[in-house]
């Protein structure tokens, strides 16, 4: 794997650790990944969930905690790699999260879960590299064309998230359950063709990182052969000692079988991939009463939502798995032990054989 230039920085090892909320990827995991030369990513999704005032003032708590998480991650990185944040486009007060992260000195902002059309506006004047998450050539074209027309700029890098990823997904439930009606490698080629138009216009390189189902060095090699510059990996990093989630959460990954992975309907209005457990069985075909709204996402209406996704994710990351939502990638069943970030990075980049 070759180093990749992103804006004014160099990513020594082109592996991005995918952002995982709530609380799964904070400074501990992000800092450890960056220290190994990759890009560690802090998820801003309810990042202040364990702050004393979170329940009464969730947005204020999140925005207060975020700068400290970024700074701690950068300190842990010891000058290596890059530190990014993942900010969902459907986040309430999205612009404030972007500006807060930029002011804290974050190296990159990755944004998906909707079209991040306004990301350049809120990040203007800062040095952070900006990257939209795209799942199709159509979405890549829409975003890059909009940024070009509206802001006279293009993306600093792209993350292509395929149908095997975890969490919220940019595909229909039918596409995910049927395995997709297309050869996704072909879709990746189409996205690469689309981004080349903007590379030519702006006379700059737009590195591409492929995500979704990346598990081992063979997957990395395949992504590079397709024309990607690197990969984004999430699930592999959950089962590491450095991950910020509880030990119970990590054990759920280690003990998971392939048949435990299911597609769920999120209150956000998007399908998601998660581990089947008591909570999933409880919400299947029925609703839970929402007694408290955390005002987390624009797309969620507590009056019609069949469960509170914030509370479900908080329960899970704290270890209350029977009442928690455990997002995961499609290949979680292949994880067999708790490892370390260093070992995972070496395995993905084949450094142990070099």
């Amino acid at each position: 794997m070759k180093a990749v230039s992103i804006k004014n920085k160099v990513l020594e090892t082109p592996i991005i650790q995918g952002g995982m909320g709530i609380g799964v990827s904070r400074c501990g995991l992000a800092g450890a990944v960056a220290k190994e030369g990759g890009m560690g990513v802090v998820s801003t999704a309810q990042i202040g969930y364990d702050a004393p005032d979170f329940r009464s003032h969730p947005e204020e708590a999140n925005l207060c905690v975020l700068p400290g998480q970024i700074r701690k991650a950068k300190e842990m990185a010891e000058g290596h790699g890059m530190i990014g944040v993942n900010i969902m486009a459907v986040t309430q007060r999205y612009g404030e999260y972007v500006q807060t992260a930029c002011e804290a000195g974050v190296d990159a902002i990755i944004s998906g879960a909707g079209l991040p059309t306004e990301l350049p506006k809120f990040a203007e004047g800062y040095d952070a590299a900006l990257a939209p998450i795209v799942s199709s050539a159509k979405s890549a074209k829409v975003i890059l064309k909009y940024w070009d027309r509206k802001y006279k700029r293009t993306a600093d890098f792209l993350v292509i998230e395929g149908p095997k990823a975890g969490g919220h997904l940019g595909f229909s439930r039918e596409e995910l359950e049927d395995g997709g009606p297309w050869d996704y490698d072909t879709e990746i080629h189409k996205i690469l063709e689309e981004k080349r138009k903007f590379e030519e216009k702006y006379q700059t390189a737009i590195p591409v990182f492929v995500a979704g189902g990346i598990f081992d060095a063979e997957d990395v090699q395949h992504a590079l052969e397709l024309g990607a510059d690197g990969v984004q990996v999430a699930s592999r990093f959950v089962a590491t000692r450095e991950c910020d989630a509880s030990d119970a959460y990590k054990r759920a990954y280690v003990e998971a079988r392939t048949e435990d992975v299911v597609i769920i309907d999120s209150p956000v209005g998007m399908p998601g991939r998660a581990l089947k457990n008591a909570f999933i069985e409880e919400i299947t075909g029925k609703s839970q009463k929402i007694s408290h709204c955390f005002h987390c996402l624009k797309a969620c209406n507590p009056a019609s939502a069949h469960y509170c996704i914030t509370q479900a994710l908080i329960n899970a990351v704290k270890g209350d798995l029977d009442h928690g939502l455990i997002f995961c990638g499609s290949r979680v069943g292949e994880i067999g032990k708790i490892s370390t970030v260093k070992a995972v990075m070496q395995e993905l980049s084949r450094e142990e054989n070099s």
Side-chain angles (χ1 to χ4, degrees):
M1 302 185 76
K2 298 178 181 178
V4 174
S5 295
I6 297 178
K7 203 170 184 178
N8 56 354
K9 297 185 183 299
V10 175
L11 189 61
E12 303 157 31
T13 304
I15 295 174
I16 298 175
Q17 161 252 309
M20 296 172 283
I22 292 171
V24 179
S25 65
R26 294 208 286 184
C27 65
L29 178 56
V33 171
K35 186 177 180 180
E36 297 302 322
M39 184 187 296
V41 178
V42 173
S43 169
T44 66
Q46 307 294 51
I47 191 170
Y49 76 93
D50 53 358
D53 59 340
F54 174 74
R55 189 171 180 84
S56 57
H57 300 93
E59 294 303 313
E60 289 75 11
N62 291 334
L63 292 167
C64 182
V65 167
L66 179 56
Q69 287 287 319
I70 293 170
R71 285 192 290 268
K72 288 177 185 176
K74 297 195 82 150
E75 288 170 6
M76 293 174 64
E78 298 179 358
H80 297 285
M82 295 173 64
I83 295 296
V85 291
N86 181 294
I87 309 177
M88 293 186 291
V90 293
T91 301
Q92 297 278 14
R93 295 167 68 172
Y94 176 74
E96 291 181 62
Y97 280 90
V98 172
Q99 291 172 342
T100 299
C102 287
E103 289 170 3
V106 78
D107 297 317
I109 297 176
I110 299 171
S111 191
L115 298 178
T117 53
E118 294 187 303
L119 177 56
K121 178 176 74 173
F122 297 121
E124 186 176 0
Y126 295 99
D127 291 331
L130 307 183
I133 297 174
V134 299
S135 294
S136 67
K138 181 180 178 180
S139 62
K141 181 177 182 178
V142 168
I143 294 171
L144 294 176
K145 192 173 181 179
Y146 187 88
W147 284 17
D148 172 40
R149 186 179 70 251
K150 182 79 173 179
Y151 307 109
K152 304 297 186 290
R153 65 157 295 163
T154 192
D156 295 304
F157 64 102
L158 290 179
V159 175
I160 301 177
E161 190 170 89
K164 295 181 180 181
H168 291 116
L169 301 162
F171 303 88
S172 69
R173 172 184 272 273
E174 291 72 27
E175 288 171 336
L176 294 168
E177 290 179 337
D178 295 340
W182 65 84
D183 172 9
Y184 199 68
D185 285 0
T186 300
E187 193 69 21
I188 291 173
H189 282 302
K190 290 180 180 179
I191 295 171
L192 293 175
E193 289 174 11
E194 194 61 44
K195 69 101 179 183
R196 288 189 191 107
K197 301 174 186 177
F198 296 90
E199 285 181 320
E200 291 175 7
K201 179 170 182 176
Y202 286 91
Q203 289 296 291
T204 187
I206 304 175
V208 168
F209 296 79
V210 170
I214 306 295
F215 191 86
D216 53 30
E218 285 69 28
D219 300 319
V220 174
Q221 184 62 31
H222 180 66
L224 298 179
E225 289 171 354
L226 288 173
D229 299 276
V231 295
Q232 177 176 285
V233 180
S235 293
R236 287 295 308 273
F237 288 112
V238 172
T240 60
R241 290 202 284 266
E242 296 90 345
C243 178
D244 298 280
S246 66
D247 288 341
Y249 193 101
K250 299 175 190 180
R251 285 198 302 274
Y253 267 54
V254 172
E255 295 168 5
R257 302 165 300 173
T258 301
E259 55 266 34
D260 296 328
V261 180
V262 295
I263 302 299
I264 61 146
D265 294 317
S266 166
V268 180
M270 302 172 71
R273 180 173 279 112
L275 283 178
K276 186 176 182 179
N277 62 354
F279 174 76
I280 296 294
E281 293 177 355
E282 183 180 344
I283 63 169
T284 300
K286 50 191 172 183
S287 299
Q288 287 185 340
K289 182 179 179 181
I290 298 177
S291 58
H292 181 81
C293 179
F294 294 92
H295 305 287
C296 57
L297 303 172
K298 300 173 186 175
C300 183
N301 181 357
S304 58
H306 56 296
Y307 64 92
C308 174
I309 191 166
T310 283
Q311 192 59 61
L313 290 170
I314 289 175
N315 290 344
V317 78
K318 286 184 173 181
D320 183 5
L321 304 187
D322 287 342
H323 300 96
L325 176 61
I326 311 168
F327 277 144
C328 65
S330 63
R331 298 180 66 181
V332 65
E334 298 176 49
I335 297 174
K337 64 180 181 180
I338 301 294
S339 185
T340 64
V341 164
K342 185 180 184 67
V344 171
M345 291 287 285
Q346 288 178 337
E347 186 177 335
L348 289 169
S349 60
R350 276 205 176 109
E351 287 182 13
E352 77 277 14
N353 297 327
S354 60

